[in-house]
Amino acid sequence: MSLHFLGNSVTLENVYIASSGTVCGPLEYLGPLGSCFDKSLQDYHYGEKSFEKAERKMLRDALDICLKREKLKYKDIDLYLGSDLLNQITSVNYLARELPQPFVGLYGACSGFALSMAMAGLLIDAGYVDKIVTMVSSHNATAERQYRYPVEYGVQKKDTTTFTATGAVSTLLTKQPQSVRVEAITLGRVIDYSQNDANDMGRAMAPAAFDTLVNHFQDLKRTFHDYDLVVTGDLSMYGHQILKEMLQRHKMDVVRYNDCGCMLYDLSSQPVFQGGSGCACSALVTMGSLYPQLKDKKLKRVLVVSTGALLSPMMSAQKESIPCIAHAISLEAIE
Amino acid sequence: MSLHFLGNSVTLENVYIASSGTVCGPLEYLGPLGSCFDKSLQDYHYGEKSFEKAERKMLRDALDICLKREKLKYKDIDLYLGSDLLNQITSVNYLARELPQPFVGLYGACSGFALSMAMAGLLIDAGYVDKIVTMVSSHNATAERQYRYPVEYGVQKKDTTTFTATGAVSTLLTKQPQSVRVEAITLGRVIDYSQNDANDMGRAMAPAAFDTLVNHFQDLKRTFHDYDLVVTGDLSMYGHQILKEMLQRHKMDVVRYNDCGCMLYDLSSQPVFQGGSGCACSALVTMGSLYPQLKDKKLKRVLVVSTGALLSPMMSAQKESIPCIAHAISLEAIE
């Protein structure tokens, strides 16, 4: 029987990660975690005629790698959940035409990874289905074109900018015991601290990450010390620093905390400004780097807080500030 | 304990509709169901400076009406689910800033109503939470501007066009027994029959509705005769006719079937082309008209199949066809 939410969180009993597939872009491959990913793009077109089609191809490849590992076909999965950054979550919706099973589209901007994993966890632990695959992606050129300017324009970037990660990640969740499980989730609230600069998403999202972290710890009576590592999704340098300060002012002992946007790249040498962002950012770091470490018992328990700026360019043009959200999943190695 | 999916469907045991709030636009008010709705707009601006802000105000009003009926405050709800047609599901995401509880954003284009109701039903029946509010909206001027042309341009419409309904609907779902329940759901697959005309969504979506209906009936061993009424979301005249033919060719006895896009307006006198579309279309008809009839036992069991064209204008520009989806919920009056 499913457990009841405690505040905004719930612990899960039988939700395991059975497989994953990770595809990254050129800069992600050259970053410190490059060797962790299953496949990488040589260039942003990936042999396709448009960046959008390239993003979809990454998603398909990540899905195929994920399923092949477990010798599964598309039809063996009970339900697919997907999320990406494009209007109408185009990448996952258009890929889902190729899938013979039900599809649920989720939108949480860059929080899509934890959001889809959390929803999948809830549906599996309730006993509704046995196998769910989550799919998330982001692509630097498609996201920049949509949210700011086409990369080809060469618009000068602000120092506070983050760099949308290019990548796609597919994760197979199941109720059959495996070496790593999703043991708890916290769903986020939409938080808006009146930041309205679309070139400074890290700072806009920090309060949402703060809110979800505080709720997670409070709901489940935990602290940073209950985790070997706590990562936020894509606050990057500025946002991650602000979050730390907010947590410390809240009298929290912040230990073993990092941000996926800072982990995915070498910030001192790669041209990514404050660090990475995008759905793929927390997804690549988690499934490419943390998941294998959990499988190898190098990490025992990790909290992933994917952050999302729910920015609408239309609303920014109407002078509104940026609503943000963060969803959290706790991953645990099985003894 | 939750039941397991049968194919793409599951029957629910304890999911009830406790309240709803419906706000409609001017044409919807003048239609045959006008008197069913709680509130209506005099004009498309609704006292706001932009159509997007007007859409959000409708959503807020629908939510407030829904909660006031049960004397509940925003904080009394465990979880909010929302879906709308705008890029970044702007209307629900920006409204969610005002909500003190977790929010999950869903995207299924015009299928958002049944999608959010289905997901809410799953989470409640599993025992995770007690009260979920779903929120959906669409606005003729915001959707037309985004998907086709600003209404003010006065572009001549094709005969096959549907008319995006203006409205917002909020529904409170709970595990506490009420007079109407959500007794089964079917999640849809993404279906694409290679239709690529953004001015003919009804015909594009008919195959998705067909797929979900066939799966629903097959999964739960039912037929049209198990329902007092079966409605699709927004296929409107052409699409609804095509669906009927597809079902009949599939040897199905199609009885008591209608389409919300044809029910919301007087097609013979109102300027809505083939009929209504948009998230609000199936939501207004279901919660404004069918739900009261279920409460009054005039209807015993109704199947609502919300249809969605997952169209991305960017992909249409890249000459791709339109992926579509349909999700179904079965509503039943309690003896």
Side-chain angles (χ1 to χ4, degrees), chain A residues 73-80 100-103 124 128-133 172-173, chain B residues 4-5 7-8 187:
Chain A
K73 307 260 183 219
Y74 289 172
K75 68 170 172 43
D76 298 324
I77 304 306
D78 300 307
L79 175 65
Y80 291 87
Q101 294 293 84
F103 175 79
I124 287 177
Y128 289 121
V129 286
D130 302 335
K131 293 187 192 72
I132 295 182
V133 162
L172 170 62
L173 293 139
Chain B
H4 197 276
F5 264 64
N8 304 346
L187 293 177

Side-chain angles (χ1 to χ4, degrees), chain A residues 32 43 82 119 123 134 150 213 222 323:
Chain A
D43 67 83
M119 294 304 282
L123 296 176
T134 65
L213 272 170
R222 295 182 187 176

Side-chain angles (χ1 to χ4, degrees), chain A residues 2 5 50 52-53 56 87-88 94 97 100 103 105 107 122 126 128 130 188-189 192 312 315 318 320, chain B residues 2 4-5 50 52-53 56 87-88 94 97 100 103 105 107 122 126 128 188-189 192 312 315 318 320:
Chain A
S2 319
F5 264 63
S50 74
E52 288 76 17
K53 289 179 202 277
R56 196 188 316 158
N87 296 340
Q88 295 88 39
Y94 278 64
R97 294 187 286 197
F103 175 79
Y107 183 75
L122 291 171
Y128 289 121
D130 302 335
R189 308 189 291 180
D192 188 333
S312 153
M315 287 297 106
Q318 292 180 25
E320 294 215 17
Chain B
S2 318
H4 197 276
F5 264 64
S50 74
E52 288 76 17
K53 288 179 202 276
R56 196 188 317 158
N87 296 340
Q88 295 88 39
Y94 278 64
R97 295 187 286 197
F103 175 78
Y107 183 76
L122 291 171
Y128 289 121
R189 308 189 291 179
D192 188 333
S312 153
M315 287 298 106
Q318 292 180 24
E320 293 215 18

Side-chain angles (χ1 to χ4, degrees), chain B residues 64-259:
Chain B
D64 290 347
I65 292 165
C66 174
L67 295 187
K68 201 177 171 187
R69 285 212 163 101
E70 290 292 300
K71 298 190 178 57
L72 294 170
K73 307 262 184 216
Y74 289 172
K75 68 171 172 42
D76 298 324
I77 305 306
D78 300 308
L79 175 65
Y80 291 87
L81 303 182
S83 194
D84 66 76
L85 290 184
L86 298 190
N87 296 340
Q88 295 88 39
I89 50 170
T90 293
S91 304
V92 290
N93 268 333
Y94 278 64
L95 176 67
R97 295 187 286 197
E98 302 169 27
L99 307 175
Q101 294 293 83
F103 175 78
V104 169
L106 296 161
Y107 183 76
C110 311
S111 74
F113 171 64
L115 174 59
S116 58
M117 293 286 283
M119 294 304 282
L122 291 171
L123 296 177
I124 286 176
D125 212 33
Y128 289 121
V129 286
D130 302 335
K131 293 186 193 73
I132 295 182
V133 162
T134 65
M135 309 181 293
V136 296
S137 67
S138 55
H139 186 297
N140 186 267
T142 65
E144 287 299 317
R145 165 153 74 184
Q146 178 182 288
Y147 286 107
R148 284 161 290 260
Y149 298 97
V151 174
E152 303 91 317
Y153 282 11
V155 170
Q156 192 168 356
K157 294 283 189 181
K158 281 184 69 171
D159 187 39
T160 51
T161 299
T162 53
F163 180 86
T164 306
T166 299
V169 175
S170 212
T171 307
L172 170 62
L173 293 140
T174 156
K175 64 174 187 179
Q176 303 305 327
Q178 309 286 336
S179 55
V180 178
R181 73 186 189 106
V182 183
E183 66 91 27
I185 66 137
T186 298
L187 293 177
R189 308 189 291 179
V190 177
I191 304 288
D192 188 333
Y193 269 35
S194 304
Q195 213 275 57
N196 55 16
D197 182 355
N199 293 301
D200 189 1
M201 304 279 224
R203 287 201 265 209
M205 294 187 291
F210 172 77
D211 190 71
T212 297
L213 271 170
V214 168
N215 285 327
H216 178 81
F217 290 142
Q218 195 172 298
D219 293 342
L220 303 179
K221 303 198 192 329
R222 295 182 187 176
T223 70
F224 273 90
H225 293 278
D226 290 300
Y227 292 96
D228 290 340
L229 183 66
V230 174
V231 293
T232 43
D234 54 353
L235 300 182
S236 290
M237 284 306 285
Y238 281 141
H240 145 261
Q241 197 50 45
I242 287 172
L243 174 61
K244 247 185 179 166
E245 285 169 24
M246 290 179 81
L247 291 164
Q248 281 159 350
R249 276 189 209 167
H250 198 71
K251 311 280 181 221
M252 276 193 180
D253 188 18
V254 183
V255 294
R256 299 186 292 275
Y257 163 58
N258 208 339
D259 183 79

Side-chain angles (χ1 to χ4, degrees), chain A residues 94-149:
Chain A
Y94 278 64
L95 176 67
R97 294 187 286 197
E98 301 169 27
L99 307 174
Q101 294 293 84
F103 175 79
V104 169
L106 296 161
Y107 183 75
C110 310
S111 73
F113 171 64
L115 174 59
S116 58
M117 294 285 283
M119 294 304 282
L122 291 171
L123 296 176
I124 287 177
D125 212 33
Y128 289 121
V129 286
D130 302 335
K131 293 187 192 72
I132 295 182
V133 162
T134 65
M135 309 181 293
V136 296
S137 66
S138 55
H139 185 296
N140 186 268
T142 65
E144 287 299 316
R145 166 153 74 184
Q146 178 182 287
Y147 286 106
R148 284 162 289 261
Y149 298 97

Side-chain angles (χ1 to χ4, degrees), chain A residues 20-24 28 31-34 36-37 113 136 138 165-169 171 229-234 236 258-266 275-294 299 302-306 329 331:
Chain A
S20 74
T22 51
V23 177
C24 74
E28 293 71 22
L33 305 180
C36 300
F37 308 123
F113 171 64
V136 296
S138 55
T166 299
V169 175
T171 307
L229 183 66
V230 174
V231 294
T232 42
D234 54 354
S236 290
N258 208 339
D259 183 79
C260 297
C262 303
M263 297 161 79
L264 187 58
Y265 304 101
D266 179 347
S277 60
C279 294
C281 187
S282 61
L284 283 174
V285 171
T286 304
M287 298 315 299
S289 168
L290 307 183
Y291 171 55
Q293 292 182 65
L294 285 158
L299 291 171
V302 169
L303 183 65
V304 179
V305 185
S306 295
I329 53 171
L331 306 182

